[in-house]
Amino acid sequence: MSSRAFDVIVIGSGPGGEGAAMKCAKEGRSVCVVDQRHLVGGACTHTATIPSKALRHAIQRFVEMRHVPGFRASPDAQPSFGDLTRTAGSVIARQTDMRQTFYERNKVEVVEGRARFLDANTVEVGQPKGAVDVLTAKAFIIAAGSRPYHPPDVDFTHPRVYDSDTILGMEEMPQSMIVYGAGVIGCEWGSMFRMLGVKLNLINTRDKLLSFLDDEIVDALAYHLRDMGCLIRHNEEYERVEGQDDGVVLHLKSGKKIKADVLLWANGRTGNSNGMGLEDLGVPLDSRGNIKVNEAYQTSVPHIYAVGDIVGFPSLASAAYDQGRFAATHLVEGRLETRLVEDIPTGIYTSPEISSVGRTERELTKAGIPYEVGHAQFKSLARAQITGRTVGMLKILFHRETLELLGVHCFGDNASEIIHIGQAIMSQEGKANSLLYFVNTTFNYPTMAEAYRVAALNGLNRVF
């Protein structure tokens, strides 16, 4: 058993942990990062964001190739699902190597193992080979992430029942699939499998898809999923899951029964707070294991912070990184750098993509803010016509009197990239945040960025 002392201990090396560790280290603090994996990067790099987005890219390229005129692949040339998922391996390796150099260059010690609090200033780290480290620190930042939620009455050991982590280990392509849960993860995976031609049932426990998004974007997503052949069932809840030798039967409380080759459970995530000893310190958790924090990301123990997926919404890699920097700034400097955690864009990698920043029409109407709308349909843009990716639109919400940007919403190819132009203008102070920027700026032609000028002019035509 060894014992060492640090200024700050960060638990978890995903985006939140990395952001926190780098900020503390660059401010001259001695930092140790504890992670249960042998390699840094967290679930984001190894089981969630990077593998699924690399897989999505591989699927898109494969589907595009099948539509190239004159292309005829033999059955032997068709990749298995395992072949497609393995394309992520090189990306994961490069990401891991790069992130490891960040810790080495900034003299941050990385310890492998699971951390458990012995008291408010001490953690015990159990290493895989049985050794135990006892580490003490003046402050802690918990960024241990989350894992797929497993209800106790669903048998996840059945070979045809998967979650969003284990689905990456599936080898053969199913003919049909049930996706239970139509949140971000369910919609992303559902659209990927539908691109591959898998017969898909998407089961939504609510009355509409992704209700936190702008209604027009939600309607567009639902339309295009159905247009792809996806069957969406709203307001349904499972009663039980019956695993069979040749498939899975999902019994719903409405009395319906649905059978498919496999079931993908995508109904929420659980914070990785179990076994960490937080209850003994009086740190409250919610029913899904998420840690409750204040506006500074402090827990009920002021020198223990928590960031990222383990605190719940929005559960985005991008948000986690900035939350880590935010918490570390408060820890080191005692100030709240609120710009880091305000107006964080959403990026949803369905097919087509969705991205948004700022407020929705529903929110602006409820707040009584006089706004107007500008649209640009991708089918009218030369660049989209050239690439053939004409599905989608850009939507700008702006104050009809001051022309201040209030929200930007995008649905279509590369939406998660396009959104950042609007985000950059929205973040400006005073009169610099203005719809007129897009009217008075020359955009390269043909580009998708030109959608901002089209949408701005479209919106201005409604102002009188």
Side-chain angles (χ1 to χ4, degrees):
M1 180 182 293
S2 62
S3 179
R4 300 189 297 287
F6 300 89
D7 292 328
V8 181
I9 291 176
V10 178
I11 301 174
S13 68
E18 181 184 305
M22 294 303 108
K23 173 64 178 177
C24 290
K26 290 180 185 298
E27 294 297 330
R29 302 303 193 269
S30 60
V31 182
C32 175
V33 170
V34 179
D35 196 285
Q36 63 181 354
R37 288 183 174 84
H38 174 62
L39 300 171
V40 299
C44 171
T45 299
H46 297 283
T47 61
T49 304
I50 297 300
S52 64
K53 304 317 175 270
L55 171 62
R56 176 180 179 269
H57 180 75
I59 291 172
Q60 286 181 320
R61 299 291 81 79
F62 172 64
V63 171
E64 287 174 359
M65 183 60 69
R66 288 195 306 193
H67 290 90
V68 171
F71 177 78
R72 293 290 184 272
S74 68
D76 294 338
Q78 299 294 324
S80 68
F81 186 74
D83 293 332
L84 293 169
T85 58
R86 279 186 283 274
T87 62
S90 62
V91 181
I92 294 171
R94 291 198 297 271
Q95 284 282 308
T96 301
D97 290 344
M98 177 185 69
R99 299 189 183 286
Q100 182 64 41
T101 63
F102 296 164
Y103 296 106
E104 294 170 355
R105 191 166 63 240
N106 289 279
K107 298 180 173 57
V108 174
E109 183 175 345
V110 179
V111 175
E112 179 186 359
R114 283 191 60 85
R116 182 179 184 278
F117 281 90
L118 299 179
D119 59 49
N121 290 96
T122 310
V123 292
E124 176 185 76
V125 181
Q127 298 182 14
K129 293 184 179 179
V132 176
D133 281 330
V134 176
L135 310 175
T136 62
K138 301 172 186 175
F140 295 82
I141 300 177
I142 302 171
S146 65
R147 63 188 183 278
Y149 170 65
H150 283 189
D153 58 344
V154 176
D155 180 13
F156 285 90
T157 65
H158 192 281
R160 292 180 178 271
V161 177
Y162 296 91
D163 62 31
S164 57
D165 285 356
T166 58
I167 194 72
L168 291 164
M170 185 172 69
E171 281 293 329
E172 298 304 320
M173 196 80 70
Q175 295 297 309
S176 60
M177 170 180 279
I178 301 166
V179 177
Y180 186 82
V184 171
I185 294 173
C187 287
E188 288 183 344
W189 279 103
S191 64
M192 276 193 274
F193 278 104
R194 189 59 208 139
M195 277 194 289
L196 290 168
V198 176
K199 183 179 180 182
L200 195 78
N201 277 274
L202 181 60
I203 312 301
N204 186 18
T205 59
R206 302 184 181 184
D207 60 355
K208 65 191 305 184
L209 300 177
L210 307 179
S211 57
F212 60 91
L213 293 173
D214 188 85
D215 289 337
E216 194 170 3
I217 300 297
V218 172
D219 292 342
L221 173 64
Y223 171 82
H224 286 287
L225 284 175
R226 289 191 175 101
D227 190 54
M228 291 168 65
C230 174
L231 179 59
I232 305 172
R233 300 176 188 265
H234 293 298
N235 294 313
E236 297 282 6
E237 289 187 45
Y238 84 101
E239 185 174 77
R240 64 188 177 95
V241 174
E242 180 187 352
Q244 300 179 345
D245 291 340
D246 63 342
V248 179
V249 177
L250 178 66
H251 298 259
L252 298 172
K253 289 183 179 179
S254 63
K256 300 182 184 73
K257 292 191 293 185
I258 305 169
K259 185 174 183 180
D261 292 342
V262 296
L263 168 72
L264 171 58
W265 188 274
N267 194 35
R269 295 182 69 83
T270 299
N272 290 327
S273 58
N274 57 305
M276 203 175 283
L278 292 171
E279 298 89 342
D280 296 337
L281 300 181
V283 174
L285 310 172
D286 69 14
S287 60
R288 286 287 180 97
N290 296 320
I291 300 173
K292 297 181 180 180
V293 294
N294 64 14
E295 71 279 359
Y297 291 90
Q298 291 171 295
T299 68
S300 58
V301 181
H303 68 276
I304 300 178
Y305 295 73
V307 300
D309 283 15
I310 203 167
V311 303
F313 186 84
S315 297
L316 297 169
S318 54
Y321 189 88
D322 283 340
Q323 288 170 2
R325 290 174 58 204
F326 179 92
T329 299
H330 186 265
L331 188 162
V332 173
E333 303 176 19
R335 63 185 177 91
L336 298 177
E337 196 171 359
T338 53
R339 65 178 181 83
L340 284 174
V341 291
E342 290 180 343
D343 286 332
I344 293 174
T346 60
I348 301 172
Y349 295 86
T350 48
S351 184
E353 287 177 20
I354 297 171
S355 195
S356 65
V357 64
R359 285 177 280 186
T360 65
E361 284 201 67
R362 191 185 326 115
E363 292 167 339
L364 293 172
T365 299
K366 185 176 181 180
I369 297 173
Y371 73 92
E372 198 46 86
V373 185
H375 285 100
Q377 299 293 333
F378 285 5
K379 64 184 179 182
S380 301
L381 301 178
R383 182 61 174 267
Q385 293 167 359
I386 291 168
T387 62
R389 298 171 182 174
T390 55
V391 171
M393 66 172 175
L394 177 70
K395 176 178 182 178
I396 300 176
L397 305 179
F398 62 95
H399 197 290
R400 63 174 295 116
E401 296 168 4
T402 66
L403 303 185
E404 172 191 2
L405 297 191
L406 302 171
V408 182
H409 307 274
C410 190
F411 175 73
D413 192 56
N414 285 322
S416 59
E417 300 279 1
I418 294 168
I419 201 72
H420 293 304
I421 300 173
Q423 180 192 21
I425 302 306
M426 273 186 63
S427 67
Q428 303 303 306
E429 296 181 358
K431 293 183 178 180
N433 176 6
S434 173
L435 188 74
L436 294 178
Y437 171 85
F438 302 122
V439 177
N440 299 327
T441 297
T442 302
F443 290 89
N444 283 330
Y445 180 84
T447 60
M448 296 306 294
E450 183 199 3
Y452 278 97
R453 182 179 59 82
V454 174
L457 291 170
N458 177 264
L460 282 176
N461 286 336
R462 295 193 174 95
V463 176
F464 57 90

mmCIF file of all heavy atoms in Angstrom, residues 68-86:
data_model
loop_
_atom_site.group_PDB
_atom_site.id
_atom_site.type_symbol
_atom_site.label_atom_id
_atom_site.label_comp_id
_atom_site.label_asym_id
_atom_site.label_seq_id
_atom_site.Cartn_x
_atom_site.Cartn_y
_atom_site.Cartn_z
ATOM 1 N N VAL A 68 -23.476 4.396 -55.751
ATOM 2 C CA VAL A 68 -22.658 4.892 -56.854
ATOM 3 C C VAL A 68 -23.082 4.185 -58.146
ATOM 4 O O VAL A 68 -23.182 2.956 -58.173
ATOM 5 C CB VAL A 68 -21.154 4.633 -56.576
ATOM 6 C CG1 VAL A 68 -20.320 4.946 -57.812
ATOM 7 C CG2 VAL A 68 -20.687 5.464 -55.392
ATOM 8 N N PRO A 69 -23.374 4.931 -59.211
ATOM 9 C CA PRO A 69 -23.810 4.301 -60.466
ATOM 10 C C PRO A 69 -22.799 3.257 -60.940
ATOM 11 O O PRO A 69 -21.595 3.503 -60.969
ATOM 12 C CB PRO A 69 -23.892 5.478 -61.446
ATOM 13 C CG PRO A 69 -24.118 6.677 -60.585
ATOM 14 C CD PRO A 69 -23.358 6.402 -59.306
ATOM 15 N N GLY A 70 -23.310 2.087 -61.272
ATOM 16 C CA GLY A 70 -22.448 1.035 -61.790
ATOM 17 C C GLY A 70 -21.823 0.166 -60.726
ATOM 18 O O GLY A 70 -21.194 -0.853 -61.032
ATOM 19 N N PHE A 71 -21.982 0.540 -59.444
ATOM 20 C CA PHE A 71 -21.383 -0.261 -58.364
ATOM 21 C C PHE A 71 -22.249 -1.475 -58.093
ATOM 22 O O PHE A 71 -23.433 -1.363 -57.828
ATOM 23 C CB PHE A 71 -21.244 0.577 -57.102
ATOM 24 C CG PHE A 71 -20.707 -0.204 -55.921
ATOM 25 C CD1 PHE A 71 -19.355 -0.481 -55.824
ATOM 26 C CD2 PHE A 71 -21.556 -0.658 -54.921
ATOM 27 C CE1 PHE A 71 -18.856 -1.195 -54.746
ATOM 28 C CE2 PHE A 71 -21.074 -1.369 -53.843
ATOM 29 C CZ PHE A 71 -19.712 -1.642 -53.754
ATOM 30 N N ARG A 72 -21.652 -2.637 -58.162
ATOM 31 C CA ARG A 72 -22.352 -3.878 -57.858
ATOM 32 C C ARG A 72 -21.434 -4.725 -56.976
ATOM 33 O O ARG A 72 -20.431 -5.275 -57.437
ATOM 34 C CB ARG A 72 -22.703 -4.651 -59.131
ATOM 35 C CG ARG A 72 -23.740 -3.964 -60.012
ATOM 36 C CD ARG A 72 -25.120 -3.981 -59.360
ATOM 37 N NE ARG A 72 -26.124 -3.405 -60.271
ATOM 38 C CZ ARG A 72 -26.418 -2.122 -60.329
ATOM 39 N NH1 ARG A 72 -25.755 -1.271 -59.545
ATOM 40 N NH2 ARG A 72 -27.335 -1.680 -61.157
ATOM 41 N N ALA A 73 -21.769 -4.789 -55.702
ATOM 42 C CA ALA A 73 -20.936 -5.573 -54.781
ATOM 43 C C ALA A 73 -21.457 -7.005 -54.708
ATOM 44 O O ALA A 73 -22.665 -7.236 -54.667
ATOM 45 C CB ALA A 73 -20.951 -4.947 -53.391
ATOM 46 N N SER A 74 -20.552 -7.950 -54.681
ATOM 47 C CA SER A 74 -20.948 -9.343 -54.488
ATOM 48 C C SER A 74 -21.346 -9.540 -53.032
ATOM 49 O O SER A 74 -20.939 -8.771 -52.161
ATOM 50 C CB SER A 74 -19.779 -10.264 -54.835
ATOM 51 O OG SER A 74 -18.742 -10.108 -53.874
ATOM 52 N N PRO A 75 -22.149 -10.567 -52.739
ATOM 53 C CA PRO A 75 -22.535 -10.813 -51.346
ATOM 54 C C PRO A 75 -21.329 -10.959 -50.422
ATOM 55 O O PRO A 75 -21.378 -10.562 -49.259
ATOM 56 C CB PRO A 75 -23.342 -12.108 -51.438
ATOM 57 C CG PRO A 75 -23.886 -12.109 -52.833
ATOM 58 C CD PRO A 75 -22.817 -11.476 -53.674
ATOM 59 N N ASP A 76 -20.223 -11.518 -50.946
ATOM 60 C CA ASP A 76 -19.024 -11.693 -50.127
ATOM 61 C C ASP A 76 -18.377 -10.363 -49.769
ATOM 62 O O ASP A 76 -17.611 -10.273 -48.811
ATOM 63 C CB ASP A 76 -18.004 -12.569 -50.866
ATOM 64 C CG ASP A 76 -18.512 -13.989 -51.044
ATOM 65 O OD1 ASP A 76 -19.399 -14.389 -50.271
ATOM 66 O OD2 ASP A 76 -18.027 -14.671 -51.963
ATOM 67 N N ALA A 77 -18.680 -9.316 -50.536
ATOM 68 C CA ALA A 77 -18.071 -8.014 -50.281
ATOM 69 C C ALA A 77 -18.850 -7.194 -49.255
ATOM 70 O O ALA A 77 -18.421 -6.115 -48.875
ATOM 71 C CB ALA A 77 -17.967 -7.223 -51.583
ATOM 72 N N GLN A 78 -20.020 -7.714 -48.841
ATOM 73 C CA GLN A 78 -20.826 -6.999 -47.862
ATOM 74 C C GLN A 78 -20.196 -7.131 -46.476
ATOM 75 O O GLN A 78 -20.004 -8.243 -45.988
ATOM 76 C CB GLN A 78 -22.257 -7.558 -47.836
ATOM 77 C CG GLN A 78 -22.995 -7.440 -49.150
ATOM 78 C CD GLN A 78 -23.262 -5.997 -49.534
ATOM 79 O OE1 GLN A 78 -23.525 -5.160 -48.693
ATOM 80 N NE2 GLN A 78 -23.167 -5.705 -50.822
ATOM 81 N N PRO A 79 -19.873 -6.020 -45.814
ATOM 82 C CA PRO A 79 -19.247 -6.121 -44.493
ATOM 83 C C PRO A 79 -20.254 -6.566 -43.442
ATOM 84 O O PRO A 79 -21.454 -6.265 -43.531
ATOM 85 C CB PRO A 79 -18.777 -4.687 -44.218
ATOM 86 C CG PRO A 79 -19.715 -3.829 -44.999
ATOM 87 C CD PRO A 79 -20.059 -4.615 -46.238
ATOM 88 N N SER A 80 -19.778 -7.297 -42.453
ATOM 89 C CA SER A 80 -20.622 -7.620 -41.305
ATOM 90 C C SER A 80 -20.692 -6.397 -40.399
ATOM 91 O O SER A 80 -19.936 -5.432 -40.569
ATOM 92 C CB SER A 80 -20.034 -8.804 -40.529
ATOM 93 O OG SER A 80 -18.798 -8.423 -39.909
ATOM 94 N N PHE A 81 -21.585 -6.442 -39.420
ATOM 95 C CA PHE A 81 -21.664 -5.322 -38.487
ATOM 96 C C PHE A 81 -20.352 -5.202 -37.711
ATOM 97 O O PHE A 81 -19.882 -4.102 -37.435
ATOM 98 C CB PHE A 81 -22.841 -5.512 -37.525
ATOM 99 C CG PHE A 81 -23.067 -4.316 -36.640
ATOM 100 C CD1 PHE A 81 -23.631 -3.155 -37.153
ATOM 101 C CD2 PHE A 81 -22.707 -4.346 -35.305
ATOM 102 C CE1 PHE A 81 -23.833 -2.045 -36.339
ATOM 103 C CE2 PHE A 81 -22.908 -3.243 -34.489
ATOM 104 C CZ PHE A 81 -23.474 -2.087 -35.009
ATOM 105 N N GLY A 82 -19.751 -6.350 -37.398
ATOM 106 C CA GLY A 82 -18.462 -6.331 -36.702
ATOM 107 C C GLY A 82 -17.372 -5.661 -37.520
ATOM 108 O O GLY A 82 -16.524 -4.941 -36.971
ATOM 109 N N ASP A 83 -17.391 -5.883 -38.838
ATOM 110 C CA ASP A 83 -16.410 -5.209 -39.707
ATOM 111 C C ASP A 83 -16.560 -3.694 -39.623
ATOM 112 O O ASP A 83 -15.574 -2.955 -39.578
ATOM 113 C CB ASP A 83 -16.601 -5.657 -41.163
ATOM 114 C CG ASP A 83 -16.261 -7.116 -41.390
ATOM 115 O OD1 ASP A 83 -15.407 -7.644 -40.640
ATOM 116 O OD2 ASP A 83 -16.854 -7.726 -42.293
ATOM 117 N N LEU A 84 -17.805 -3.217 -39.608
ATOM 118 C CA LEU A 84 -18.049 -1.779 -39.550
ATOM 119 C C LEU A 84 -17.611 -1.186 -38.216
ATOM 120 O O LEU A 84 -17.015 -0.107 -38.174
ATOM 121 C CB LEU A 84 -19.536 -1.494 -39.790
ATOM 122 C CG LEU A 84 -20.058 -1.800 -41.200
ATOM 123 C CD1 LEU A 84 -21.584 -1.734 -41.241
ATOM 124 C CD2 LEU A 84 -19.463 -0.827 -42.217
ATOM 125 N N THR A 85 -17.904 -1.877 -37.114
ATOM 126 C CA THR A 85 -17.524 -1.334 -35.801
ATOM 127 C C THR A 85 -16.015 -1.307 -35.620
ATOM 128 O O THR A 85 -15.489 -0.420 -34.939
ATOM 129 C CB THR A 85 -18.158 -2.140 -34.659
ATOM 130 O OG1 THR A 85 -17.749 -3.513 -34.758
ATOM 131 C CG2 THR A 85 -19.672 -2.059 -34.698
ATOM 132 N N ARG A 86 -15.314 -2.242 -36.230
ATOM 133 C CA ARG A 86 -13.851 -2.281 -36.053
ATOM 134 C C ARG A 86 -13.140 -1.116 -36.739
ATOM 135 O O ARG A 86 -11.970 -0.847 -36.461
ATOM 136 C CB ARG A 86 -13.304 -3.620 -36.534
ATOM 137 C CG ARG A 86 -13.477 -4.733 -35.494
ATOM 138 C CD ARG A 86 -12.790 -6.018 -35.921
ATOM 139 N NE ARG A 86 -13.545 -6.734 -36.934
ATOM 140 C CZ ARG A 86 -14.532 -7.594 -36.668
ATOM 141 N NH1 ARG A 86 -14.887 -7.820 -35.418
ATOM 142 N NH2 ARG A 86 -15.174 -8.216 -37.638
#
